[in-house]
Amino acid sequence: DAKTTQPPSMDCAEGRAANLPCNHSTISGNEYVYWYRQIHSQGPQYIIHGLKNNETNEMASLIITEDRKSSTLILPHATLRDTAVYYCIVRVARNGGSQGNLIFGKGTKLSVKP
Amino acid sequence: KAGVTQTPRYLIKTRGQQVTLSCSPISGHRSVSWYQQTPGQGLQFLFEYFSETQRNKGNFPGRFSGRQFSNSRSEMNVSTLELGDSALYLCASSRDPGSGANVLTFGAGSRLTVL
């Protein structure tokens, strides 16, 4: 699975959009980009994933560049409850094989401030 | 629907003892994975079970073991506890469609303190 690079920390004002970048320059064609977050002392929470196209759900939007070497997670209106560590993970979709062993890096610690 | 349930939530053990942690996956999820989280090493994969078989294993000593039952519930066991085993142990389940993207749902974790 390709390696990802994220900034260690970011600040965002409450109510503003939080844009979290992730570099995955060695991504291959069959690897998905997943985003999870972990609020202090809780289990990680799935946010969104994508392969090539931009994706949006009720939590966030995922923008993947055309060359797929980087992506941005967008929280459109950040709240104090969005303060968490955000993990960007690149993972190949295996047919019938093991898929439960995600490799978590250090992630980005997002602090949403009033 | 009910989420991933882990028990116990908190426990304290002493060095040399053993511990068993339990995980009940979301109904219909066939895959269960276990992770260890410590401040120094972050989140690290322990092992994954699917249809009662260990499908993948991380780089942990043999003191760490697990199993999965026919109802997909899983347990992990750590024998001869060491101080360094103090951690948050997380269980995650997934539907495991066999192809395409696979999303993990994590439980709240079991926090183990070894004295």
Side-chain angles (χ1 to χ4, degrees), chain A residues 32 34 36 38 41-46 49 87 91-106, chain B residues 9 31 33 35 37 40 43 45 48 55-56 88 90 96-109 111:
Chain A
Y32 284 82
Y34 295 84
Y36 286 78
Q38 187 173 25
S41 292
Q42 298 181 21
Q45 176 190 24
Y46 164 78
H49 74 275
Y87 298 97
R91 189 72 167 82
V92 67
R94 293 188 170 85
N95 291 334
S98 174
Q99 297 200 57
N101 54 330
L102 297 180
I103 298 174
F104 287 83
K106 295 191 184 304
Chain B
R9 289 292 315 279
S31 171
S33 300
Y35 290 79
Q37 186 171 29
L43 273 157
F45 171 75
E48 178 190 11
R55 193 157 66 171
N56 203 349
L88 180 66
L90 291 156
D96 199 318
S99 63
N102 190 43
V103 171
L104 301 188
T105 302
F106 284 83
R111 184 165 295 282

XYZ file of all heavy atoms in Angstrom, chain A residues 32 34 36 38 41-46 49 87 91-106, chain B residues 9 31 33 35 37 40 43 45 48 55-56 88 90 96-109 111:
441
model
N -7.486 2.779 -3.177
C -8.440 3.757 -2.724
C -7.772 4.700 -1.715
O -6.830 4.315 -1.012
C -9.622 3.085 -2.013
C -10.607 2.417 -2.938
C -10.372 1.142 -3.433
C -11.795 3.058 -3.289
C -11.286 0.518 -4.264
C -12.720 2.437 -4.121
C -12.453 1.171 -4.603
O -13.367 0.565 -5.425
N -8.695 6.535 1.747
C -9.661 6.533 2.843
C -9.279 7.632 3.838
O -8.102 7.913 4.049
C -9.622 5.212 3.615
C -10.055 3.984 2.855
C -9.164 3.291 2.045
C -11.357 3.501 2.979
C -9.560 2.144 1.368
C -11.755 2.350 2.304
C -10.851 1.679 1.502
O -11.244 0.549 0.831
N -10.113 8.571 7.906
C -10.688 8.266 9.208
C -10.289 9.386 10.154
O -9.310 10.090 9.926
C -10.143 6.943 9.769
C -10.669 5.693 9.111
C -10.185 5.275 7.873
C -11.651 4.921 9.722
C -10.664 4.123 7.276
C -12.140 3.761 9.130
C -11.646 3.374 7.910
O -12.124 2.229 7.308
N -10.017 10.323 14.588
C -10.085 9.787 15.934
C -10.163 10.944 16.911
O -9.226 11.739 17.019
C -8.864 8.914 16.248
C -8.980 8.196 17.585
C -7.857 7.220 17.813
O -6.771 7.362 17.264
N -8.101 6.214 18.643
N -9.291 9.508 22.661
C -9.620 8.314 23.433
C -10.819 7.524 22.909
O -11.327 6.661 23.608
C -9.863 8.662 24.909
O -8.669 9.071 25.491
N -11.275 7.817 21.710
C -12.330 7.009 21.104
C -11.746 6.179 19.970
O -10.610 6.397 19.556
C -13.453 7.906 20.553
C -14.156 8.729 21.607
C -15.263 9.570 21.006
O -15.765 9.300 19.922
N -15.648 10.613 21.717
N -12.508 5.229 19.436
C -12.054 4.477 18.281
C -12.106 5.336 17.030
O -12.898 6.282 16.945
N -11.257 5.056 16.054
C -11.305 5.808 14.792
C -12.681 5.705 14.140
O -13.366 4.694 14.267
C -10.228 5.138 13.933
C -9.282 4.534 14.912
C -10.143 4.094 16.066
N -13.039 6.767 13.442
C -14.337 6.843 12.778
C -14.120 7.041 11.293
O -13.378 7.936 10.880
C -15.132 8.024 13.362
C -16.471 8.282 12.698
C -17.096 9.590 13.138
O -16.395 10.513 13.569
N -18.410 9.684 13.043
N -14.762 6.228 10.481
C -14.673 6.371 9.031
C -15.337 7.671 8.608
O -16.402 8.048 9.118
C -15.366 5.186 8.362
C -15.690 5.400 6.896
C -14.703 5.286 5.926
C -16.988 5.726 6.497
C -14.999 5.481 4.591
C -17.279 5.929 5.174
C -16.285 5.807 4.215
O -16.588 6.014 2.887
N -14.263 7.800 1.465
C -13.221 7.205 0.654
C -13.500 7.494 -0.817
O -14.626 7.840 -1.193
C -13.103 5.696 0.905
C -14.220 4.880 0.307
N -15.413 4.691 0.970
C -14.317 4.217 -0.868
C -16.206 3.932 0.237
N -15.577 3.639 -0.902
N -6.703 10.840 9.752
C -5.784 9.919 9.088
C -6.179 9.728 7.625
O -7.331 9.422 7.318
C -5.804 8.553 9.772
C -5.365 8.538 11.207
C -6.288 8.567 12.249
C -4.013 8.476 11.544
C -5.893 8.532 13.569
C -3.604 8.436 12.868
C -4.551 8.464 13.869
O -4.138 8.433 15.179
N -5.165 2.379 0.304
C -5.313 0.954 0.498
C -5.779 0.301 -0.795
O -6.746 0.734 -1.390
C -6.351 0.714 1.601
C -6.482 -0.699 2.080
C -5.280 -1.086 2.912
N -5.521 -2.329 3.635
C -5.387 -3.527 3.079
N -5.036 -3.631 1.836
N -5.633 -4.598 3.803
N -5.095 -0.777 -1.158
C -5.512 -1.482 -2.357
C -6.762 -2.287 -2.048
O -6.940 -2.776 -0.935
C -4.385 -2.402 -2.858
C -4.123 -3.537 -1.885
C -4.694 -2.935 -4.228
N -7.637 -2.393 -3.018
C -8.853 -3.192 -2.848
C -8.538 -4.607 -3.303
O -8.387 -4.875 -4.484
C -9.988 -2.602 -3.677
N -8.388 -5.507 -2.342
C -8.006 -6.881 -2.671
C -9.244 -7.724 -2.903
O -10.172 -7.699 -2.110
C -7.188 -7.482 -1.531
C -5.842 -6.826 -1.355
C -4.990 -7.562 -0.344
N -3.623 -7.066 -0.354
C -3.202 -6.029 0.328
N -4.040 -5.369 1.069
N -1.944 -5.634 0.262
N -9.215 -8.500 -3.931
C -10.342 -9.383 -4.194
C -10.213 -10.646 -3.361
O -9.335 -11.470 -3.589
C -10.406 -9.741 -5.677
C -10.787 -8.549 -6.527
O -11.438 -7.626 -6.053
N -10.385 -8.573 -7.771
N -11.066 -10.764 -2.368
C -11.080 -11.968 -1.550
C -9.958 -12.057 -0.541
O -9.867 -13.015 0.206
N -9.080 -11.089 -0.511
C -7.952 -11.165 0.421
C -8.154 -10.297 1.629
O -9.205 -9.712 1.828
N -7.136 -10.203 2.437
C -7.210 -9.440 3.667
C -7.395 -7.962 3.376
O -6.688 -7.396 2.552
C -5.931 -9.660 4.470
O -5.915 -8.837 5.599
N -8.347 -7.353 4.054
C -8.571 -5.926 3.865
C -8.648 -5.180 5.179
O -8.923 -3.993 5.194
C -9.868 -5.700 3.081
C -9.838 -6.272 1.681
C -10.884 -5.632 0.802
O -10.918 -4.429 0.631
N -11.770 -6.442 0.259
N -8.447 -5.892 6.282
C -8.642 -5.254 7.574
C -7.402 -4.655 8.175
O -7.457 -4.099 9.254
N -6.254 -4.766 7.504
C -5.014 -4.294 8.103
C -4.632 -2.942 7.529
O -3.799 -2.824 6.651
C -3.881 -5.305 7.902
C -3.693 -5.673 6.447
O -4.644 -5.666 5.684
N -2.464 -5.958 6.067
N -5.288 -1.912 8.038
C -4.947 -0.560 7.624
C -3.648 -0.123 8.275
O -3.360 -0.489 9.404
C -6.058 0.410 8.024
C -7.428 0.175 7.385
C -8.413 1.225 7.879
C -7.334 0.188 5.880
N -2.876 0.675 7.540
C -1.638 1.235 8.093
C -1.909 2.697 8.417
O -2.101 3.522 7.524
C -0.480 1.111 7.092
C -0.211 -0.365 6.799
C 0.779 1.776 7.656
C 0.809 -0.592 5.722
N -1.975 2.977 9.715
C -2.218 4.341 10.175
C -0.884 5.041 10.384
O -0.023 4.543 11.081
C -2.979 4.341 11.505
C -4.423 3.970 11.394
C -4.806 2.632 11.366
C -5.417 4.941 11.334
C -6.141 2.276 11.265
C -6.750 4.593 11.239
C -7.116 3.269 11.201
N -0.712 6.219 9.776
C 0.439 7.050 10.066
C 0.160 7.888 11.301
O -0.637 7.492 12.152
N 0.820 9.035 11.372
C 0.613 9.900 12.544
C -0.575 10.840 12.362
O -1.049 11.428 13.322
C 1.882 10.695 12.825
C 3.053 9.813 13.221
C 4.219 10.626 13.747
C 5.427 9.771 14.050
N 5.125 8.685 14.988
N -14.327 -2.332 29.010
C -13.838 -1.037 28.545
C -12.522 -0.658 29.228
O -11.660 -0.041 28.609
C -14.876 0.046 28.805
C -16.111 -0.028 27.932
C -15.791 0.284 26.457
N -14.938 1.435 26.282
C -15.332 2.681 26.303
N -16.601 2.969 26.497
N -14.482 3.675 26.119
N -15.689 -9.848 8.964
C -14.264 -9.660 9.234
C -14.083 -8.866 10.518
O -14.783 -7.873 10.751
C -13.624 -8.909 8.059
O -12.311 -8.521 8.370
N -10.897 -7.141 12.855
C -9.480 -6.814 12.972
C -9.222 -6.239 14.354
O -10.096 -5.592 14.936
C -9.078 -5.772 11.918
O -9.316 -6.250 10.614
N -6.394 -3.894 16.718
C -5.311 -2.919 16.692
C -4.889 -2.574 18.121
O -5.706 -2.599 19.039
C -5.762 -1.622 16.005
C -5.968 -1.741 14.515
C -7.122 -2.302 13.994
C -4.998 -1.293 13.628
C -7.310 -2.419 12.631
C -5.171 -1.394 12.259
C -6.334 -1.963 11.770
O -6.507 -2.075 10.414
N -3.110 0.593 20.259
C -2.730 1.999 20.175
C -1.998 2.429 21.431
O -2.532 2.329 22.546
C -3.939 2.894 19.956
C -3.567 4.366 19.724
C -4.730 5.208 19.293
O -5.879 4.933 19.643
N -4.471 6.230 18.495
N 3.411 6.074 21.982
C 4.679 6.040 21.267
C 4.600 5.457 19.864
O 5.224 5.958 18.933
N -1.288 3.707 16.172
C -2.185 2.578 15.892
C -1.429 1.514 15.104
O -0.938 1.785 14.010
C -3.372 3.051 15.055
C -4.566 3.592 15.816
C -5.389 4.519 14.932
C -5.440 2.435 16.282
N -1.569 -2.580 13.647
C -2.397 -3.734 13.336
C -1.878 -4.970 14.057
O -0.681 -5.280 14.014
C -2.382 -3.947 11.823
C -3.012 -5.225 11.364
C -4.388 -5.373 11.364
C -2.235 -6.276 10.922
C -4.973 -6.556 10.929
C -2.802 -7.453 10.487
C -4.163 -7.593 10.490
N -6.187 -10.072 11.856
C -7.512 -10.007 11.240
C -8.063 -11.424 11.133
O -7.336 -12.357 10.786
C -7.442 -9.383 9.852
C -8.800 -9.342 9.149
C -8.698 -8.960 7.687
O -7.582 -8.933 7.149
O -9.746 -8.701 7.076
N -6.528 -14.325 8.985
C -6.209 -14.060 7.584
C -4.944 -13.231 7.439
O -4.310 -13.239 6.396
C -7.396 -13.339 6.942
C -7.346 -13.277 5.429
C -8.722 -13.078 4.843
N -9.292 -11.790 5.172
C -10.421 -11.322 4.631
N -11.080 -12.035 3.751
N -10.903 -10.147 4.993
N -4.594 -12.488 8.487
C -3.408 -11.646 8.413
C -2.931 -11.359 9.828
O -3.742 -11.333 10.769
C -3.751 -10.339 7.694
C -2.526 -9.678 7.096
O -1.396 -10.061 7.370
N -2.742 -8.675 6.272
N -4.493 1.050 24.444
C -5.901 0.956 24.044
C -5.976 -0.101 22.946
O -5.286 0.007 21.927
C -6.383 2.310 23.517
C -7.840 2.393 23.059
C -8.793 2.202 24.240
C -8.114 3.734 22.366
N -8.159 -1.851 20.153
C -9.328 -1.528 19.336
C -9.684 -2.682 18.429
O -8.810 -3.329 17.844
C -9.035 -0.283 18.487
C -8.898 1.025 19.262
C -8.061 2.020 18.493
C -10.271 1.597 19.553
N -16.620 -6.772 4.454
C -15.670 -7.478 3.603
C -16.372 -8.031 2.370
O -16.680 -9.215 2.299
C -14.996 -8.614 4.376
C -13.705 -9.048 3.687
O -13.687 -9.152 2.449
O -12.720 -9.272 4.391
N -16.626 -7.167 1.421
C -17.362 -7.580 0.236
C -16.569 -8.514 -0.664
O -17.090 -9.067 -1.609
C -17.669 -6.256 -0.465
C -16.559 -5.360 -0.034
C -16.237 -5.750 1.373
N -15.267 -8.652 -0.401
C -14.448 -9.516 -1.242
C -13.826 -8.783 -2.409
O -12.843 -9.224 -2.975
N -14.369 -7.642 -2.756
C -13.768 -6.832 -3.818
C -14.198 -5.395 -3.598
O -15.190 -5.129 -2.916
C -14.205 -7.315 -5.199
O -15.590 -7.165 -5.367
N -13.427 -4.479 -4.157
C -13.773 -3.071 -4.014
C -13.376 -2.530 -2.660
O -12.623 -3.140 -1.915
N -13.907 -1.381 -2.346
C -13.546 -0.705 -1.098
C -14.110 -1.437 0.109
O -15.145 -2.107 0.027
C -14.075 0.731 -1.121
N -13.420 -1.351 1.216
C -13.850 -2.001 2.452
C -13.719 -1.014 3.600
O -12.631 -0.538 3.870
C -12.979 -3.235 2.722
C -13.520 -4.082 3.835
O -14.712 -4.326 3.932
N -12.648 -4.540 4.712
N -14.817 -0.706 4.253
C -14.822 0.293 5.318
C -14.837 -0.408 6.667
O -15.626 -1.325 6.884
C -16.062 1.201 5.184
C -16.194 2.104 6.396
C -15.979 2.018 3.912
N -13.939 0.016 7.571
C -13.893 -0.550 8.914
C -14.715 0.305 9.874
O -14.666 1.527 9.820
C -12.454 -0.607 9.430
C -11.427 -1.407 8.630
C -10.125 -1.501 9.411
C -11.946 -2.780 8.300
N -15.447 -0.354 10.755
C -16.146 0.318 11.846
C -15.476 -0.112 13.139
O -15.418 -1.310 13.433
C -17.628 -0.059 11.876
O -18.236 0.278 10.626
C -18.344 0.693 12.993
N -14.970 0.866 13.887
C -14.230 0.577 15.111
C -15.138 0.632 16.332
O -16.097 1.399 16.386
C -13.102 1.596 15.291
C -11.927 1.367 14.403
C -11.935 1.828 13.093
C -10.802 0.699 14.855
C -10.851 1.622 12.254
C -9.712 0.488 14.035
C -9.732 0.949 12.733
N -14.755 -0.173 17.329
C -15.379 -0.062 18.632
C -14.707 1.025 19.442
O -13.774 1.686 18.976
N -15.187 1.206 20.694
C -14.646 2.258 21.557
C -13.333 1.841 22.194
O -12.610 2.692 22.718
C -15.665 2.615 22.624
N -13.017 0.560 22.149
C -11.733 0.089 22.659
C -11.788 -0.436 24.082
O -12.727 -0.173 24.835
N -9.271 -0.334 27.316
C -8.031 0.284 27.803
C -7.431 -0.611 28.888
O -8.012 -0.792 29.951
C -8.279 1.679 28.350
C -6.969 2.349 28.772
C -7.103 3.828 28.981
N -7.414 4.562 27.765
C -6.538 4.881 26.825
N -5.282 4.507 26.931
N -6.915 5.573 25.767
